[in-house]
Short mmCIF file of all heavy atoms in Angstrom, two decimals:
data_model
loop_
_atom_site.label_atom_id
_atom_site.label_comp_id
_atom_site.label_asym_id
_atom_site.label_seq_id
_atom_site.Cartn_x
_atom_site.Cartn_y
_atom_site.Cartn_z
N LEU G 404 18.42 -25.09 21.39
CA LEU G 404 17.54 -24.55 20.34
C LEU G 404 18.26 -23.47 19.54
O LEU G 404 18.14 -23.41 18.31
CB LEU G 404 16.27 -23.98 20.97
CG LEU G 404 15.27 -25.00 21.52
CD1 LEU G 404 14.17 -24.30 22.30
CD2 LEU G 404 14.67 -25.82 20.38
N ILE G 405 19.04 -22.63 20.22
CA ILE G 405 19.82 -21.60 19.52
C ILE G 405 20.87 -22.26 18.63
O ILE G 405 21.12 -21.80 17.50
CB ILE G 405 20.48 -20.65 20.54
CG1 ILE G 405 19.42 -19.90 21.35
CG2 ILE G 405 21.39 -19.64 19.84
CD1 ILE G 405 19.93 -19.31 22.63
N GLY G 406 21.47 -23.32 19.11
CA GLY G 406 22.43 -24.05 18.30
C GLY G 406 21.79 -24.61 17.04
O GLY G 406 22.35 -24.53 15.95
N ARG G 407 20.59 -25.16 17.17
CA ARG G 407 19.89 -25.73 16.01
C ARG G 407 19.55 -24.64 15.00
O ARG G 407 19.62 -24.87 13.79
CB ARG G 407 18.62 -26.45 16.47
CG ARG G 407 18.90 -27.75 17.22
CD ARG G 407 17.62 -28.37 17.77
NE ARG G 407 16.68 -28.71 16.74
CZ ARG G 407 16.74 -29.80 15.98
NH1 ARG G 407 17.74 -30.66 16.16
NH2 ARG G 407 15.84 -30.06 15.07
N VAL G 408 19.19 -23.47 15.50
CA VAL G 408 18.88 -22.34 14.59
C VAL G 408 20.10 -22.01 13.76
O VAL G 408 20.03 -21.86 12.53
CB VAL G 408 18.42 -21.12 15.40
CG1 VAL G 408 18.46 -19.85 14.54
CG2 VAL G 408 17.01 -21.34 15.94
N ASN G 409 21.27 -21.89 14.39
CA ASN G 409 22.48 -21.49 13.68
C ASN G 409 23.03 -22.58 12.78
O ASN G 409 23.68 -22.28 11.78
CB ASN G 409 23.54 -21.05 14.69
CG ASN G 409 23.30 -19.66 15.23
OD1 ASN G 409 23.77 -18.68 14.70
ND2 ASN G 409 22.51 -19.57 16.31
N LEU G 410 22.80 -23.83 13.13
CA LEU G 410 23.30 -24.94 12.32
C LEU G 410 22.33 -25.32 11.21
O LEU G 410 22.58 -26.27 10.47
CB LEU G 410 23.58 -26.16 13.21
CG LEU G 410 24.79 -26.01 14.14
CD1 LEU G 410 24.75 -27.07 15.23
CD2 LEU G 410 26.08 -26.12 13.35
N GLY G 411 21.23 -24.60 11.09
CA GLY G 411 20.26 -24.88 10.03
C GLY G 411 19.44 -26.13 10.28
O GLY G 411 18.91 -26.72 9.34
N LYS G 412 19.28 -26.53 11.54
CA LYS G 412 18.56 -27.76 11.87
C LYS G 412 17.24 -27.48 12.60
O LYS G 412 16.54 -28.42 12.98
CB LYS G 412 19.43 -28.66 12.76
CG LYS G 412 20.73 -29.10 12.10
CD LYS G 412 20.46 -29.92 10.85
CE LYS G 412 21.75 -30.34 10.16
NZ LYS G 412 21.49 -31.07 8.90
N ALA G 413 16.90 -26.22 12.79
CA ALA G 413 15.68 -25.89 13.54
C ALA G 413 14.46 -26.16 12.68
O ALA G 413 14.47 -25.99 11.46
CB ALA G 413 15.71 -24.43 13.98
N ASN G 414 13.37 -26.59 13.32
CA ASN G 414 12.11 -26.80 12.63
C ASN G 414 11.06 -25.87 13.23
O ASN G 414 11.32 -25.18 14.23
CB ASN G 414 11.69 -28.28 12.73
CG ASN G 414 11.52 -28.74 14.17
OD1 ASN G 414 10.82 -28.11 14.96
ND2 ASN G 414 12.17 -29.84 14.52
N PRO G 415 9.86 -25.81 12.65
CA PRO G 415 8.84 -24.87 13.16
C PRO G 415 8.52 -25.06 14.64
O PRO G 415 8.29 -24.09 15.36
CB PRO G 415 7.63 -25.16 12.28
CG PRO G 415 8.23 -25.63 10.98
CD PRO G 415 9.43 -26.43 11.38
N ARG G 416 8.51 -26.30 15.12
CA ARG G 416 8.21 -26.54 16.53
C ARG G 416 9.31 -25.98 17.43
O ARG G 416 9.04 -25.54 18.55
CB ARG G 416 8.02 -28.03 16.79
CG ARG G 416 6.71 -28.56 16.27
CD ARG G 416 6.42 -29.97 16.74
NE ARG G 416 5.26 -30.52 16.08
CZ ARG G 416 4.83 -31.77 16.23
NH1 ARG G 416 5.50 -32.59 17.03
NH2 ARG G 416 3.76 -32.20 15.60
N ASP G 417 10.56 -26.01 16.96
CA ASP G 417 11.66 -25.42 17.73
C ASP G 417 11.42 -23.93 17.95
O ASP G 417 11.67 -23.39 19.04
CB ASP G 417 13.00 -25.62 17.01
CG ASP G 417 13.45 -27.08 17.01
OD1 ASP G 417 13.03 -27.82 17.92
OD2 ASP G 417 14.22 -27.45 16.11
N LEU G 418 10.93 -23.25 16.90
CA LEU G 418 10.68 -21.81 17.03
C LEU G 418 9.55 -21.53 18.01
O LEU G 418 9.62 -20.56 18.79
CB LEU G 418 10.35 -21.20 15.66
CG LEU G 418 11.39 -21.35 14.56
CD1 LEU G 418 11.11 -20.35 13.44
CD2 LEU G 418 12.80 -21.17 15.08
N VAL G 419 8.52 -22.37 18.00
CA VAL G 419 7.44 -22.20 18.97
C VAL G 419 7.96 -22.41 20.39
O VAL G 419 7.59 -21.68 21.32
CB VAL G 419 6.29 -23.18 18.66
CG1 VAL G 419 5.25 -23.17 19.78
CG2 VAL G 419 5.63 -22.83 17.34
N SER G 420 8.88 -23.37 20.55
CA SER G 420 9.48 -23.61 21.87
C SER G 420 10.28 -22.40 22.34
O SER G 420 10.25 -22.04 23.53
CB SER G 420 10.39 -24.85 21.83
OG SER G 420 9.64 -26.02 21.59
N ILE G 421 10.99 -21.77 21.41
CA ILE G 421 11.74 -20.55 21.76
C ILE G 421 10.78 -19.46 22.22
O ILE G 421 10.99 -18.81 23.25
CB ILE G 421 12.58 -20.07 20.56
CG1 ILE G 421 13.73 -21.07 20.29
CG2 ILE G 421 13.15 -18.68 20.82
CD1 ILE G 421 14.51 -20.76 19.02
N ALA G 422 9.72 -19.25 21.45
CA ALA G 422 8.76 -18.19 21.79
C ALA G 422 8.07 -18.47 23.12
O ALA G 422 7.91 -17.56 23.95
CB ALA G 422 7.71 -18.06 20.68
N ASP G 423 7.67 -19.71 23.34
CA ASP G 423 7.02 -20.07 24.60
C ASP G 423 7.96 -19.85 25.79
O ASP G 423 7.53 -19.42 26.87
CB ASP G 423 6.56 -21.52 24.57
CG ASP G 423 5.38 -21.74 23.63
OD1 ASP G 423 4.75 -20.74 23.22
OD2 ASP G 423 5.09 -22.91 23.30
N SER G 424 9.24 -20.15 25.60
CA SER G 424 10.22 -19.96 26.66
C SER G 424 10.40 -18.49 26.96
O SER G 424 10.43 -18.06 28.13
CB SER G 424 11.57 -20.58 26.26
OG SER G 424 11.45 -21.97 26.04
#
Side-chain angles (χ1 to χ4, degrees):
L404 288 171
I405 297 161
R407 289 175 61 80
V408 165
N409 282 269
L410 290 164
K412 299 298 178 183
N414 59 52
R416 286 190 188 175
D417 290 335
L418 301 198
V419 171
S420 294
I421 291 173
D423 289 346
S424 299

